[in-house]
Amino acid sequence: MPRYATIIIADDGAEIVSAIGEFEGASLPRHNVEQVAPGVRIGMVRGGPVDAVAGFGFPRPGLGPSAARAATAKLKAMAAPATVAGPAKPARAKPRRKPVRKVRKSAKAAPSDAAAHG
């Protein structure tokens, strides 16, 4: 039975095998599917040099796009404190807390006159 792989294209343009399946008949999925050799596995890249099988192989370990971004971010973070900064801003004063309101003495009034004149 022929094996088919779904190929996705990464941000850097690499074509990566994302799914593999065996299909019979003429009804194949319509999105970026192609027939592949039995040794191709998920995660392989077209033209990858490690464990290459029928034009697909795993990418070389080491500096990939994500590792390069992480290294660049680390270098920028290390260089940021070395720059000369302007005058420091004074600390912002905290707003004053309002005291809790006390109960009015008028709320504790004597019984109403309506009961006495009733």
Side-chain angles (χ1 to χ4, degrees):
M1 196 172 332
R3 293 181 64 199
Y4 293 91
T6 302
I7 309 295
I8 60 171
I9 298 175
D11 292 339
D12 60 352
E15 295 179 355
I16 303 169
V17 177
S18 69
I20 297 175
E22 296 180 2
F23 299 99
E24 281 188 21
S27 63
L28 291 176
R30 297 177 184 237
H31 54 277
N32 299 339
V33 176
E34 64 182 69
Q35 190 170 357
V36 293
V40 175
R41 295 184 298 206
I42 294 175
M44 287 185 158
V45 178
R46 187 182 307 275
V50 180
D51 296 336
V53 175
F56 289 94
F58 289 106
R60 189 173 305 280
L63 277 179
S66 62
R69 281 191 295 267
T72 303
K74 186 181 279 188
L75 289 172
K76 283 182 182 178
M78 289 173 41
T83 62
V84 177
K89 293 183 180 179
R92 205 171 97 191
K94 292 183 181 179
R96 179 180 66 89
R97 274 190 85 182
K98 296 180 182 177
V100 178
R101 287 190 168 189
K102 296 180 181 180
V103 178
R104 290 185 177 182
K105 291 184 180 182
S106 62
K108 297 180 186 178
S112 71
D113 293 330
H117 294 300

